[in-house]
Amino acid sequence: MTQKMVILAPFSVDSPYLAGAVRCYVETWKRDWEASYDFFLRYAHYPDFYGLVALSDGEVVGSGFGTRSLPGQWWHDVVAAHAGAEHPALQDAWVLVELEVLKAYRGYGTGTRLHNALLAGQPCPRALLSTEVANRGARRLYERLGWHYLHPGFRFNEGQEPYVVMHKELA
């Protein structure tokens, strides 16, 4: 495969890249634009938000972000209910909330570059994430990058596909 040239750039609520990050999310996961935009805005105000986009010729072709995982946040509380609130993986942790790369840019290392840069730019000694049990590609990527399973799978919402929860020590 020929390497596709991408550069990484940060994004925030004030960034010109926010809309592109949301578009990448919507295209990848087939989500509603308005709800997705609100989702990004909500998380962008959480503690230790850090977001990056992958750009090719100025166009967003991948994005990812995360925040500090704290009690009282919906995702943290649901995971704590399944894994145990005192589990060491949930203490002083940063959650990789989203990571997506447009289909034409997969397989060129873009997801790995986003992943590595996001983890390098966050302040916590450990990280968490969740991905669908059925998303074998994402799970293989995370396994290859040293993530371990915290929970083999549960549904965050009724009628939703089950998600695994993974964790990684960074320090």
Side-chain angles (χ1 to χ4, degrees), residues 18-41:
L18 176 63
V22 175
R23 180 189 52 78
C24 188
Y25 173 82
V26 166
E27 286 183 26
T28 300
W29 304 116
K30 310 300 182 227
R31 300 284 202 262
D32 171 74
W33 170 264
E34 227 173 280
S36 299
Y37 190 81
D38 290 345
F39 169 71
F40 273 64
L41 288 181

Side-chain angles (χ1 to χ4, degrees), residues 4-163:
K4 293 195 183 224
M5 184 63 188
V6 298
I7 61 169
L8 303 183
F11 79 89
S12 66
V13 293
D14 302 322
S15 169
Y17 300 127
L18 176 63
V22 175
R23 180 189 52 78
C24 188
Y25 173 82
V26 166
E27 286 183 26
T28 300
W29 304 116
K30 310 300 182 227
R31 300 284 202 262
D32 171 74
W33 170 264
E34 227 173 280
S36 299
Y37 190 81
D38 290 345
F39 169 71
F40 273 64
L41 288 181
R42 183 174 66 251
Y43 274 90
H45 290 95
Y46 279 19
D48 295 315
F49 174 86
Y50 185 50
L52 290 173
V53 293
L55 300 166
S56 178
D57 295 325
E59 179 187 351
V60 176
V61 298
S63 66
F65 71 85
T67 68
R68 186 175 291 270
S69 183
L70 296 168
Q73 295 171 346
W74 175 81
W75 188 92
H76 178 95
D77 291 348
V78 173
V79 171
H82 289 290
E86 300 305 316
H87 194 289
L90 294 173
Q91 311 311 310
D92 198 15
W94 188 82
V95 60
L96 179 60
V97 177
E98 284 301 328
L99 180 66
E100 51 270 335
V101 175
L102 295 179
K103 192 172 230 164
Y105 288 82
R106 293 182 195 154
Y108 297 98
T110 303
T112 298
R113 285 186 58 212
L114 277 167
H115 168 275
N116 292 346
L118 285 164
L119 291 186
Q122 62 75 41
C124 299
R126 60 194 51 85
L128 298 159
L129 63 79
S130 58
T131 192
E132 289 182 339
V133 169
N135 190 341
R136 302 254 186 249
R139 290 175 55 193
R140 276 193 306 273
L141 171 69
Y142 297 131
E143 289 167 357
R144 182 174 55 80
L145 295 172
W147 291 80
H148 304 281
Y149 289 92
L150 177 62
H151 197 284
F154 62 86
R155 287 174 172 75
F156 280 95
N157 295 298
E158 189 174 323
Q160 185 181 49
E161 293 297 316
Y163 282 70

